[in-house]
């Protein structure tokens, strides 16, 4: 009897592992496929049937993509927009996050709820009126306009995330610093900031990825100065397969790499629940 | 209230972001209203609304969007719940699993669309695999716009890409539920399914609510995945907003579509909040 | 070192009166303990003195100087926090040196002072470590070393031992006492643990609901609690309180309780006779009750309910008339539940408490020092 239960327990455990691995494969296999596509020479990409385990690895397709007109400038544009977005949202958002974490004040709950509810705000609705406005201001087709919109999109999350980062740094530490001779500002820069730095960096990377990935607003707000995803998107229908595959791989890689660095912060970044 | 004692610090710290959100979030939304309901000479009009409703692509875009949401969100929820519950089983190597399961969080909808296009396209990997298995002897045209295959490919791509966010929210929620409850239920003889159904899921309700609202609202705006996989063969609401702005140069109709997307988003959020209402008394 | 002086300080949080019109003076080099249940305002009072909270009204003086409107760093204080607040990103050395660095002291002076503070707390071999590599007790020592390394006028401690486990707490308690005697610091120490308060303080200020109820030496707070609350809060077991009625019989004043009559000593009789209402509470500590195995004059008859051997002594719960009473006996005292026993109360040690006000009767020392 006892043997039987432990045997069935083992079977159940094995099944659990099997399901876990299958789901992991479901996520990894498409990434694997786009990777081998990007590293295949052009003629292999056009050939059929394709081998799932390629014999030749070549940089031909990626080189073709990078040397295509507009690709390098738009890559630069993407980096500029993402960096601008990151810096602006951190400079504006982190103080608000700090206020939410440290102070008790009237209107705090209302502010929190408003921030939470704007987190899922449709970017479509922002892009069109802002495009019209930026055209009036002469900011149309300017990278700053894309960054402004990306900040509007990222700011609520930045505030919530930095708030949870600062909550994680005990208030008592800052108080101790003020008792032992620091001003409020010194206590922040000497104690709270160094301790919050890893979390703030994770939040910054998250913002970077958000901006790097964004297609709709970037496409609407620019004509010549496209970001990489926007460039790829408008040329997609007219592009040959190698260009598409290499492009897909290209925008995929930085995102995955950055994720690796912030994996420790996953649940505090995305796990925030409406209370 | 004593003015000297009143602490302005938090308000000063909040001011920049509050101003930013007013200028670049609230005000544009207000302007979108203007674009949708105001003609260029300034008088109010329902013209754009009528033109949107009578547009040949409108009903297709709306039906496709709704069909996609109905197909995608439940699938994502069930898959994410399975993934999250797996994480609670304290498997060996669960650190690696968590990382793998959350990789798609960083993948853009455009990249996901291209990846699944590479699988479903005529000379793609799915056809190669089916040929290798002897199922097919020549490539099958999956992305044929007369068939349901493009729809299925989009559903797969979205489930593949955007289940992670639901997974992460659910895991964060599960981690905040003390194990004692499930263990208490186990001691009193509840089996695994009963524990999940009667104890874990009800306690997880706030997280489920957040995940569903977020996912549905993001699905209403689905855009690049659809275009990358189906090209012009299939349209959705966000795609129409894009085309009216970029191709037909009508910010008014584009804004009208955008307003329509907003209304659907708010509507679904409201429905979820009502349906999954968390009673005050049930929160510990 | 210097004295701390607090004058009618008030601090509210919304509608909660955390500290309400408190006056308190800590003399130079004195060790004063703020004792009270959680939420009584003791930590808030300490934080008002530290400058971590702004007072609503009243003044705070440290060393004759009015510091009410100064930020913490200008108050020349040192503080030990409940969760130690040891900076995780600094080594033990840098933690202890933190206050000195902020004062821009010369390098060799900092080194010397850190060294001697570390030696006092036996952490001199941990100076290169980071707090995450230390145990709770070691972090506690770092926090104390950091506080004594700076030239401060007063030392403030907010429940510094509450996060240590029982054994370590006992050890640190003795060590703190030795250390603070040695450095002769004016110290204000917050705790909810009465044993800590009794063992450490030169004087104890007992707080409740934002006010100081009694400010006296440990012995007086224990033996002569100012009111019902303090008698019940301090001591293990708490003071027994018997319902009594003051009467005069045959020209003699007696207090009739449910368990029998008690004859107050003459000084108490004088006070009791002036009561408007005849209702009093007879407060008596468990160790001031003698047990007799046979009836005797002025002994009350009681029934044993529970015997709890505690090693050094036995704690016995008895039924005395309608009330229960706890009595300490020698460890070799034998008794069975249900057994009848006679109790003799040491009437000199009784606290007579006016039932209407809850205040002890002969208590005439005002909380001011």
């Amino acid at each position: 009897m006892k043997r039987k239960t432990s045997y069935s327990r083992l079977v159940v455990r094995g099944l659990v592992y099997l399901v876990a691995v299958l789901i992991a494969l479901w996520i990894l296999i498409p990434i694997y496929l786009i990777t081998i596509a990007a590293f295949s020479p052009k003629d292999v990409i056009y050939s059929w049937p394709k081998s799932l385990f390629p014999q030749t690895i070549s940089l031909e397709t990626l080189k073709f993509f990078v040397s295509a007109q507009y690709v390098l400038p738009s890559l630069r544009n993407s980096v500029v927009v993402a960096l601008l977005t990151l810096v602006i949202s951190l400079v504006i958002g982190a103080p608000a996050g700090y206020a939410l974490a440290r102070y008790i004040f009237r209107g705090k709950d209302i502010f929190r709820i408003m921030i939470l509810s704007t987190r899922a705000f449709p970017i479509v609705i922002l892009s069109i009126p802002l495009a019209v406005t930026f055209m009036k201001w002469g900011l149309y087709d300017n990278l700053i306009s894309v960054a402004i919109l990306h900040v509007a999109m990222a700011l609520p999350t930045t505030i919530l995330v930095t708030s949870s980062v600062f909550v994680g740094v005990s208030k008592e530490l800052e108080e101790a610093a003020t008792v032992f001779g620091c001003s409020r500002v010194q206590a922040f820069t000497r104690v709270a900031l160094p301790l919050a730095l890893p979390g703030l960096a994770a939040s910054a990377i998250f913002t970077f990825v958000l901006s790097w990935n964004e297609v709709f607003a970037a496409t609407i707000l620019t004509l010549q100065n496209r970001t990489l995803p926007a460039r790829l998107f408008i040329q997609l229908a007219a592009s040959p397969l190698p260009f598409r595959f290499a492009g897909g791989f290209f925008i995929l890689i930085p995102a995955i790499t950055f994720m690796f660095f912030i994996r420790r912060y996953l649940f505090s970044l995305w796990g925030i629940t409406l209370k | 209230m004593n003015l000297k004692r009143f602490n302005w610090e938090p308000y000063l710290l909040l001011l920049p972001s509050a101003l930013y959100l007013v200028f670049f979030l609230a005000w544009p939304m207000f302007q979108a209203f203007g674009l949708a309901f105001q003609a260029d000479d300034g008088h109010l009009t329902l013209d754009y609304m009528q033109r949107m409703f009578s547009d040949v692509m409108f009903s297709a875009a709306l039906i496709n969007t709704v069909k996609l949401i109905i197909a995608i969100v439940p699938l994502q929820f069930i898959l994410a719940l399975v993934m999250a519950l797996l994480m609670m089983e304290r498997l060996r190597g669960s650190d690696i699993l968590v990382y793998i399961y959350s990789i798609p969080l960083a993948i853009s909808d455009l990249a996901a669309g291209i990846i699944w296009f590479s699988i479903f396209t005529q000379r793609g990997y799915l056809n190669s695999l089916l040929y290798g298995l002897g199922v097919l002897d020549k490539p099958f045209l999956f992305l044929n716009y007369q068939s349901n295959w493009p729809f299925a490919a989009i559903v797969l791509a979205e489930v593949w890409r955007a289940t992670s966010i639901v997974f992460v929210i659910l895991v964060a929620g599960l981690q905040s539920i003390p194990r004692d409850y499930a263990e208490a239920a186990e001691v009193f003889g509840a089996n695994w399914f009963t524990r999940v159904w009667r104890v874990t899921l009800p306690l997880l309700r706030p997280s489920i609510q957040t995940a569903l609202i977020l996912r549905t609202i993001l699905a209403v705006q689905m855009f690049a995945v659809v275009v990358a996989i189906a090209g012009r063969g299939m349209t959705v609401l966000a795609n129409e907003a894009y085309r009216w702005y970029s191709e037909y140069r009508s910010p008014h109709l584009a804004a009208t579509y955008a307003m329509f997307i907003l209304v659907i988003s708010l509507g679904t959020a409201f429905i979820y909040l009502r349906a999954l209402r968390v009673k005050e008394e049930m929160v510990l | 070192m210097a004295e701390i002086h607090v004058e009618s300080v008030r601090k509210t949080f919304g509608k909660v009166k955390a500290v309400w019109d408190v006056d308190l003076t800590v003399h130079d080099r004195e060790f004063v303990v703020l004792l009270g249940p959680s939420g009584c305002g003791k930590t808030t009072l300490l934080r008002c003195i530290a400058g971590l909270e702004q007072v609503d009204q009243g003044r705070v003086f440290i060393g004759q100087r009015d510091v009410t409107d100064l930020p913490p760093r200008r108050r020349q204080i040192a503080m030990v926090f409940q969760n130690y607040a040891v900076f995780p990103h600094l080594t033990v050395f840098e933690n202890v040196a933190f206050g000195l660095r902020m004062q821009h002291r010369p390098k060799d002076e900092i080194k010397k002072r850190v060294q001697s503070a570390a030696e006092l707390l036996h952490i001199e071999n941990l100076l290169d470590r980071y707090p995450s590599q230390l145990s709770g007790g070691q972090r506690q020592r770092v926090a104390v070393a950091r506080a004594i390394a700076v030239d401060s006028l007063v030392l403030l401690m907010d429940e510094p031992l509450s996060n240590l486990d029982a054994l370590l707490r006992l050890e640190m308690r003795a060590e703190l006492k030795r250390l603070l005697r040695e450095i002769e610091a004016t110290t204000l120490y917050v705790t909810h643990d009465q044993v800590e308060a009794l063992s450490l303080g030169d004087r104890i200020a007992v707080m409740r609901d934002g006010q100081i109820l009694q400010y006296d030496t440990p012995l007086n707070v224990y033996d002569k609690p100012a009111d019902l609350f303090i008698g019940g809060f301090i001591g293990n077991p708490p003071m027994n309180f018997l319902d009594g009625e003051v009467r005069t019989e045959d020209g003699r004043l007696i207090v009739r309780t449910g368990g029998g009559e008690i004859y107050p000593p003459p000084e108490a009789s004088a006070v009791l006779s002036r009561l408007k209402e005849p209702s009093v509470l007879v407060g008596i500590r468990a160790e001031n009750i003698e047990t007799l195995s046979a009836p005797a004059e002025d002994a009350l008859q009681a029934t044993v309910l529970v015997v709890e051997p505690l090693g050094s002594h036995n704690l016995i719960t008895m039924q005395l008339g309608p009330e229960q009473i706890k009595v300490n006996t020698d460890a070799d005292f034998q008794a069975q539940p249900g057994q009848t026993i006679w109790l003799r109360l040491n009437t000199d040690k009784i606290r007579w408490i006016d039932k209407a006000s809850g205040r002890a009767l002969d208590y005439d020392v005002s909380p001011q020092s």
Side-chain angles (χ1 to χ4, degrees), chain C residues 93-109:
Chain C
F93 182 94
E94 285 304 321
N95 262 288
V96 179
F98 191 88
L100 301 164
R101 289 233 192 275
M102 294 310 297
Q103 295 168 357
H104 304 291
R105 297 297 179 91
K107 260 200 182 126
D108 38 330
E109 190 199 332

Side-chain angles (χ1 to χ4, degrees), chain A residues 172-173 175 178 180 182 190, chain C residues 47 73 81 83 87 89:
Chain A
E172 213 179 48
L173 291 172
E175 289 179 345
T178 61
F180 289 104
C182 288
R190 281 173 172 258
Chain C
R47 290 168 59 84
R73 71 197 148 106
F81 290 81
N83 302 305
F87 304 124
H89 60 306

